[in-house]
Amino acid sequence: MSTPYNFKKVEPKWQKHWAEQNCFAAHDDKPNKYYVLEMLPYPSGRLHMGHVRNYVMGDVVARSKKAQGFNVLHPFGWDAFGLPAENAAIQNKTHPAKWTRENIQTMKGQIQSLGLSYDWSRELATCEPEYYQHEQKMFLDFLAKDLAYRKESWVNWDPIEQTVLANEQVVDGKGWRSGVPVERKLLSQWFLKTTAFAEDLLQSLETLKDWPAKVTTMQHNWIGKSVGAYIDFKLNDSADSIRVFTTRPDTLFGASFLAISPDHPLATKLAKDNKILQKFIEEFKALGTSEKSLQTTEKKGFLTHLKVASPFEPDQLLPVFVANYVLMDYGTGAVYGCPAHDERDYEFAHKYKLPIRPVLSALPHGEPLDVSKEAYGGEGFLCNSGFLNGLSIEAAKIKAIDALQKQSLGESTIIYRLKDWGVSRQRYWGCPIPIIYCDHCGVVPVPADQLPVTLPEDVTFDKPGNPLEHHPTWKHTTCPKCKGKARRETDTFDTFFESSWYFLRYCSHPTDKAFDRSITESWMPVDQYIGGVEHAVMHLLYSRFFMRALSACGYLKLDEPFKALMTQGMVCHETYRTADGQWVYPGDVVFKEGKAYSTKGEALKIGPSEKMSKSKCNVVDPSDMLEAYGVDTVRLFILSDSPPDRDFDWSEAGLQGCWRYVNKLWKLLDEVTEKYCGSSGGQPSAKAQAVEKRLHQTILAVKQDYEQFHFNKAIARVRELSNAIEDLSLDHKDDLAVAYESLKVLLQLIAPMMPHLAEEAWQSLYKESGFIFDAPWPKADPKLAAEDKIILAVQVNGKMRGTLEVDKGLTEKDLLELALNMPTVQGAVADKSIRKTIVIPNRVVNIVV
Ligand code: ANZ
Ligand code: ZN
């Protein structure tokens, strides 16, 4: 009697055993280390399918490495600080800490039900002082090494919320929650000096061979190296000059104006006694700080009374504008405009009727290019440019810079688009910045022996702004230096601070320091990191910066935190809408003859598959699926459909297909193991021998599939193999033996993906005493795996005339004879004489007549 697969019993059973036996503990003291990590989640309170996909992939890597004998570190933790907890506090009147800790408990339960092979003894939550105290120390060390500093900077300020908004939180110039126009405000903020490592962060991208090219390209562009020059334009009415940054010093003879940013100190100075300029600057400030909003708004300028001399033609006086397209925090906040060869300058020059002078021609000493319709930004040779005439752009750049340097009017330089990282947030639910302000001593870091600076628990959220600021006592303290009255910094760190080093603490988590250097160095770098491509720049770049900064402070010696990176695609689902546009959840849709209806019978419109999101109701709750189908079916489905880096379409039909397979496989296992009563030592049928061959080929291929994240291919191969086994006659004693042995190996191959079913079959059906992942990984016999037939192309005079399937190892003479026997070949050769034959082993026989 066969027993149906009862996932409701089997899955919790093995999860319990694995946990009790501490199966997934990583061993600091053992060799053969392998570190696999998924990006740590924010504890929002509910697990979604994106999480499931991410963690299941990581688990397959971890389990397959463990089964192959590696000492695997696979930890888990929570990115527990952040704004949603504060919003929840305001809405539901719960404390952020309580809300966060409860969410962690719920989500942990959900994650554990997925049967993931985590070493839970290393779990961490970034909101706990035992974690964040160490980053306060890191900050002090960064300060001492000049890798952290304070400066005034422009921020998006929400006047209602009384807080700084990130660019993404400004929607159409308004605060995302308050809906009132955002102001630009100059605020004193703490920065980490990411730019100190700009060149290294850029160059080292070359070493990240196992990162997706799209991610390294994004970092490359984000760092944005520009080679160019600073040029000083002398003011005609004073000894001062205005310094600009340009990448095109070759076009200097085409300059027709100078433009400075509305945030430029000179603009501020001029605005002091100019109401119109004041208004111009205010309008600009209303734009917000995002680069995008600055690029898309119409270019506008304010003409000042100032004039500057063109460096190579001092008699040429150029007007100076304050222009809204010049950013203060790039280069020097000032540019010279060359309308003929720069699009933005062209638009500006048209508007303000400024000269457009082409200085490039197609050929050396040729006619100037036509710029009557648009700017020309391409290659060419200099003209209208005095001593630069006839030179290529590259040669002219060098010569121009040389001349500028000689006259002390400029110098060559390299600048980066990368900015220092502003880490101050006016928030409660974050790590307090360990700084004290004293009227006598100024800015005083909290001494290391007074750390941690912990968050007060008794805070209220009834007023806008930062609760730490409103707290009656917390910010009042004494100055560590003069012991006088002083104030604490009430800003907290950007939460990317926590996620920049958490992977170090998983390796070792002493109480007195962030991590134990030698243990952490023995695990790092992370061998395989897995997460969303949305972190291509911020998180992944900040982490790379942190390794360099921590190395500079003597914490460890390491540049790159993540050796290999895999960015998984999104989980998508069709959308459903009623005639009046209401979204409908997939669970409330009934299908009849391919058409969708609501449970009330209303016809629905089926929309394309899109990323699962609550706003479109196209989400499927993992808990419902686990409840209905069990973990292994969900795992199998989420791995089987598409390559991991692509988007994945969730469908009930696909899931049911996997459900049927799980049951079919179990039935086969059950039957084979029940019937099997030892091998008779006889000869298996040809069919069974073919199964053996396929088995060895599958062993070889699946190992590679795991290495290359081709889980979908691995599943397809295993399914083919099990189909072939199912096809054998179990009444044939020797074939039954083949089925028995092959299925056992198949279990090992599929165990990383379907761990519960595999474990149950291994121990309950095959009566093995150890865990399946502790058994030696199956080895393929290359001789058995090798195909003994090969297929050759047969050509006459290079033209394809057919193929030959032949045994391996035939001689050239044999092959030729076989080829000449082919009717198509005989037709092509006819009565011509054979002049030459070319045989490329295992590939081609070519007959030349
Ligand atoms: C003169 C010029 C002539 C320029 C020409 C371009 C073409 P990337 O490659 O991004 O570094 N620029 C410099 N600082 C700026 C700022 N703060 N805000 C807006 N634009 C700024 O671009 C460098 C070019 O962007 C610089 O070279 C400058 O315009 C402009 F035919 O100088 B160029
Ligand atoms: Zn003091």
Side-chain angles (χ1 to χ4, degrees):
M1 244 318 274
S2 84
T3 38
Y5 181 59
N6 185 348
F7 71 83
K8 292 212 167 167
K9 253 189 158 153
V10 168
E11 291 176 348
K13 171 175 122 189
W14 290 113
Q15 286 171 13
K16 190 160 164 269
H17 278 300
W18 296 331
E20 279 169 3
Q21 312 270 323
N22 212 6
C23 286
F24 305 116
H27 304 286
D28 297 339
D29 50 350
K30 290 199 185 138
N32 217 7
K33 291 185 163 76
Y34 188 90
Y35 188 177
V36 51
L37 183 64
E38 302 98 55
M39 292 180 184
L40 87 176
Y42 180 77
S44 60
R46 256 204 117 51
L47 199 70
H48 58 66
M49 278 301 174
H51 291 132
V52 174
R53 192 175 188 207
N54 190 208
Y55 307 141
V56 166
M57 281 178 194
D59 196 51
V60 176
V61 176
R63 283 178 179 271
S64 67
K65 288 288 172 186
K66 182 173 173 61
Q68 288 167 41
F70 285 91
N71 173 17
V72 174
L73 171 57
H74 189 210
F76 199 84
W78 309 93
D79 193 12
F81 274 139
L83 199 51
E86 277 184 66
N87 292 341
I90 296 165
Q91 274 158 20
N92 316 333
K93 307 243 176 306
T94 48
H95 192 278
K98 184 165 175 278
W99 185 84
T100 305
R101 289 180 190 134
E102 282 173 5
N103 283 351
I104 289 179
Q105 281 324 307
T106 334
M107 279 177 86
K108 186 170 173 181
Q110 292 180 309
I111 283 170
Q112 285 179 326
S113 73
L114 290 169
L116 304 169
S117 60
Y118 291 121
D119 180 348
W120 285 103
S121 73
R122 298 175 190 243
E123 180 185 6
L124 59 81
T126 58
C127 66
E128 304 300 344
E130 65 185 42
Y131 181 82
Y132 70 68
Q133 61 177 335
H134 303 296
E135 64 187 38
Q136 292 180 334
K137 176 70 169 51
M138 287 174 188
F139 181 73
L140 299 181
D141 293 329
F142 292 168
L143 267 178
K145 278 267 180 228
D146 258 345
L147 289 168
Y149 64 96
R150 198 164 86 114
K151 77 164 184 205
E152 298 234 292
S153 91
W154 289 103
V155 294
N156 301 306
W157 181 256
D158 187 318
I160 298 288
E161 300 274 325
Q162 296 275 304
T163 190
V164 169
L165 299 178
N167 285 334
E168 303 79 58
Q169 295 169 325
V170 181
V171 184
D172 297 330
K174 297 185 178 126
W176 64 313
R177 282 202 316 175
S178 68
V180 303
V182 164
E183 294 167 7
R184 291 176 87 248
K185 197 170 158 175
L186 204 53
L187 219 65
S188 235
Q189 307 240 83
W190 289 97
F191 285 82
L192 297 191
K193 215 183 261 171
T194 37
T195 56
F197 300 104
E199 189 61 33
D200 185 20
L201 287 167
L202 183 70
Q203 297 296 334
S204 302
L205 287 172
E206 303 278 326
T207 66
L208 300 175
K209 301 270 182 254
D210 295 322
W211 281 39
K214 65 178 175 209
V215 174
T216 46
T217 304
M218 277 167 84
Q219 292 214 354
H220 195 276
N221 296 338
W222 188 264
I223 296 167
K225 180 176 180 174
S226 279
V227 179
Y230 290 132
I231 304 179
D232 299 314
F233 285 74
K234 285 204 164 120
L235 284 162
N236 73 326
D237 64 350
S238 75
D240 293 341
S241 56
I242 301 176
R243 173 163 270 214
V244 307
F245 170 75
T246 178
T247 47
R248 296 294 305 273
D250 54 303
T251 64
L252 205 40
F253 283 91
S256 60
F257 64 96
L258 214 97
I260 62 173
S261 164
D263 290 330
H264 197 285
L266 184 58
T268 317
K269 199 170 125 198
L270 292 172
K272 280 219 176 85
D273 33 46
N274 189 320
K275 285 255 151 47
I276 305 172
L277 180 55
Q278 265 168 34
K279 193 158 165 269
F280 179 86
I281 295 176
E282 259 155 41
E283 272 170 24
F284 170 78
K285 293 200 194 313
L287 272 177
T289 56
S290 95
E291 217 168 284
K292 202 162 149 232
S293 70
L294 292 180
Q295 270 163 9
T296 47
T297 46
E298 190 195 340
K299 300 195 176 26
K300 273 191 200 155
F302 171 90
L303 180 62
T304 71
H305 67 276
L306 301 176
K307 293 242 184 313
V308 289
S310 185
F312 295 145
E313 303 162 289
D315 303 338
Q316 286 269 352
L317 290 185
L318 310 177
V320 177
F321 285 83
V322 178
N324 69 352
Y325 70 96
V326 185
L327 307 163
M328 190 57 218
D329 54 5
Y330 188 67
T332 61
V335 304
Y336 76 81
C338 174
H341 302 296
D342 182 278
E343 235 178 274
R344 294 163 302 173
D345 299 344
Y346 193 87
E347 194 186 324
F348 194 80
H350 248 278
K351 186 157 176 178
Y352 296 102
K353 310 260 171 322
L354 300 162
I356 300 177
R357 290 163 63 193
V359 292
L360 288 174
S361 64
L363 296 168
H365 306 288
E367 288 296 304
L369 284 154
D370 177 16
V371 291
S372 59
K373 301 248 161 29
E374 55 180 2
Y376 175 81
E379 289 301 315
F381 296 87
L382 274 291
C383 64
N384 287 340
S385 294
F387 69 101
L388 300 176
N389 280 340
L391 294 178
S392 70
I393 293 177
E394 281 320 303
K397 280 182 182 172
I398 295 168
K399 198 158 178 187
I401 293 176
D402 198 47
L404 288 165
Q405 251 154 352
K406 284 206 178 100
Q407 300 171 52
S408 301
L409 289 173
E411 59 192 313
S412 70
T413 188
I414 292 171
I415 68 165
Y416 300 87
R417 209 182 140 253
L418 181 72
K419 304 204 176 85
D420 283 338
W421 171 16
V423 291
S424 302
R425 298 290 180 275
Q426 293 69 42
R427 302 271 179 229
Y428 165 70
W429 196 230
C431 170
I433 301 180
I435 291 290
I436 289 167
Y437 299 102
C438 168
D439 288 340
H440 292 287
C441 317
V443 179
V444 187
V446 175
D449 60 10
Q450 289 175 27
L451 294 181
V453 179
T454 52
L455 289 170
E457 289 268 337
D458 54 333
V459 279
T460 53
F461 292 87
D462 46 6
K463 274 185 265 181
N466 182 352
L468 289 179
E469 191 65 47
H470 308 319
H471 191 280
T473 55
W474 186 80
K475 70 177 171 188
H476 302 295
T477 184
T478 48
C479 168
K481 274 195 185 154
C482 72
K483 309 292 173 215
K485 273 193 183 159
R487 280 167 300 112
R488 283 193 189 286
E489 170 67 86
T490 54
D491 286 353
T492 52
F493 285 133
D494 178 1
T495 57
F496 278 115
F497 205 112
E498 284 85 61
S499 53
S500 295
W501 68 279
Y502 73 105
F503 40 87
L504 301 176
R505 191 157 170 85
Y506 282 143
C507 301
S508 57
H509 39 275
T511 47
D512 59 332
K513 52 185 176 217
F515 51 87
D516 175 285
R517 179 171 178 166
S518 75
I519 298 176
T520 291
E521 279 180 344
S522 77
W523 284 109
M524 288 296 291
V526 172
D527 292 283
Q528 182 65 59
Y529 199 33
I530 306 171
V533 74
E534 67 274 16
H535 293 298
V537 275
M538 313 256 256
H539 164 56
L540 289 168
L541 194 60
Y542 294 152
S543 301
R544 298 183 61 221
F545 158 75
F546 248 72
M547 294 313 100
R548 287 160 174 80
L550 290 176
S551 296
C553 296
Y555 278 71
L556 78 175
K557 190 85 211 76
L558 182 76
D559 283 349
E560 293 301 334
F562 313 120
K563 185 166 170 291
L565 172 70
M566 148 70 207
T567 52
Q568 94 273 10
M570 292 178 302
V571 182
C572 304
H573 198 291
E574 284 182 346
T575 55
Y576 310 100
R577 287 180 106 156
T578 60
D580 57 0
Q582 300 291 320
W583 301 105
V584 180
Y585 279 99
D588 300 331
V589 178
V590 191
F591 288 93
K592 268 183 239 143
E593 287 151 10
K595 296 211 171 88
Y597 300 89
S598 73
T599 38
K600 284 181 237 137
E602 192 183 351
L604 300 174
K605 219 176 117 192
I606 304 182
S609 191
E610 292 177 56
K611 178 185 179 182
M612 283 190 182
S613 95
K614 276 204 200 119
S615 65
K616 292 186 177 158
C617 294
N618 63 338
V619 291
V620 176
D621 189 331
S623 315
D624 297 346
M625 297 299 121
L626 296 178
E627 180 67 29
Y629 295 95
V631 182
D632 280 357
T633 299
V634 170
R635 290 175 62 122
L636 185 68
F637 177 47
I638 213 153
L639 294 166
S640 65
D641 194 69
S642 24
D645 54 339
R646 302 267 186 78
D647 289 353
F648 168 81
D649 278 323
W650 184 275
S651 78
E652 190 85 9
L655 184 63
Q656 277 164 10
C658 289
W659 165 247
R660 282 193 298 273
Y661 178 70
V662 166
N663 287 290
K664 194 171 84 161
L665 178 61
W666 178 261
K667 189 162 162 270
L668 180 62
L669 283 158
D670 194 36
E671 235 176 271
V672 168
T673 48
E674 194 173 297
K675 279 200 170 164
Y676 180 73
C677 47
S679 158
S680 69
Q683 175 85 330
S685 68
K687 217 173 178 182
Q689 287 178 29
V691 165
E692 279 181 316
K693 178 174 292 299
R694 183 184 283 275
L695 174 71
H696 286 269
Q697 289 169 340
T698 310
I699 295 172
L700 281 179
V702 165
K703 181 157 186 231
Q704 265 192 14
D705 291 338
Y706 278 139
E707 233 113 79
Q708 298 168 351
F709 278 90
H710 293 163
F711 306 134
N712 53 328
K713 285 191 189 166
I715 290 171
R717 282 187 231 280
V718 168
R719 288 184 71 151
E720 278 171 23
L721 177 64
S722 68
N723 286 344
I725 298 172
E726 202 180 9
D727 221 23
L728 296 177
S729 159
L730 303 185
D731 297 330
H732 186 307
K733 218 170 171 210
D734 298 299
D735 283 14
L736 175 62
V738 170
Y740 181 87
E741 293 302 336
S742 310
L743 275 176
K744 194 171 174 191
V745 174
L746 180 146
L747 280 180
Q748 285 187 277
L749 296 182
I750 207 166
M753 300 187 278
M754 298 164 64
H756 306 85
L757 180 141
E759 195 76 82
E760 175 71 7
W762 186 257
Q763 298 202 33
S764 305
L765 301 180
Y766 278 91
K767 313 278 186 241
E768 286 287 339
S769 53
F771 290 109
I772 188 164
F773 41 76
D774 285 333
W777 187 253
K779 275 208 178 68
D781 180 341
K783 269 218 274 335
L784 261 176
E787 283 294 355
D788 27 38
K789 294 264 183 207
I790 47 169
I791 295 174
L792 293 165
V794 180
Q795 305 172 337
V796 177
N797 289 347
K799 196 162 178 231
M800 182 80 169
R801 293 291 170 187
T803 56
L804 266 182
E805 191 178 335
V806 295
D807 287 340
K808 258 188 161 169
L810 290 191
T811 62
E812 224 175 292
K813 195 165 150 271
D814 297 336
L815 289 174
L816 206 60
E817 202 179 307
L818 285 169
L820 286 170
N821 273 333
M822 290 165 70
T824 46
V825 174
Q826 284 169 354
V829 174
D831 51 1
K832 286 166 238 151
S833 63
I834 296 171
R835 287 197 283 141
K836 201 161 91 179
T837 55
I838 306 159
V839 176
I840 304 172
N842 300 335
R843 305 250 318 261
V844 183
V845 179
N846 188 11
I847 297 160
V848 184
V849 292

